[in-house]
Amino acid sequence: MVPIAFFTSILAIVTGKFQEEAFENTPKEYLVEIHEKFGYATATLSLLWTAFLFNSKLHKYHLIIGFIIFIVVSIPGFYGGLIAH
């Protein structure tokens, strides 16, 4: 599931790039920027989590990365809701 989450986060970044132009020079532009930065952080942490799962030496720490990504995913989710509404 974690590698799938990484690939879907990449897809979300690509589709978000296409939608970003609609918010240029609007009051919500700063929200889109924050949402974008945390989206990149989510993708990076998903890749790191995948590496921790497949590396036997680091596998015992994978829940720590999982908890961090849980927090980090919540932030762009909140900003995405603000952007949508």
Side-chain angles (χ1 to χ4, degrees):
M1 294 288 284
V2 176
I4 293 170
F6 168 68
F7 288 117
T8 57
S9 67
I10 297 300
L11 291 174
I13 289 171
V14 170
T15 59
K17 283 293 185 188
F18 292 121
Q19 297 173 2
E20 184 178 23
E21 295 174 14
F23 293 98
E24 288 181 1
N25 300 321
T26 67
K28 291 185 178 182
E29 184 177 16
Y30 78 98
L31 293 174
V32 173
E33 294 296 323
I34 294 170
H35 182 74
E36 179 183 21
K37 288 177 183 172
F38 275 99
Y40 286 132
T42 299
T44 304
L45 286 171
S46 294
L47 181 62
L48 184 64
W49 195 7
T50 301
F52 271 52
L53 285 173
F54 289 110
N55 185 327
S56 60
K57 292 180 182 178
L58 298 174
H59 184 69
K60 59 185 172 185
Y61 301 113
H62 78 93
L63 290 178
I64 296 169
I65 299 294
F67 181 73
I68 292 169
I69 203 166
F70 171 76
I71 304 274
V72 172
V73 165
S74 299
I75 296 168
F78 174 75
Y79 281 105
L82 290 177
I83 293 165
H85 299 287

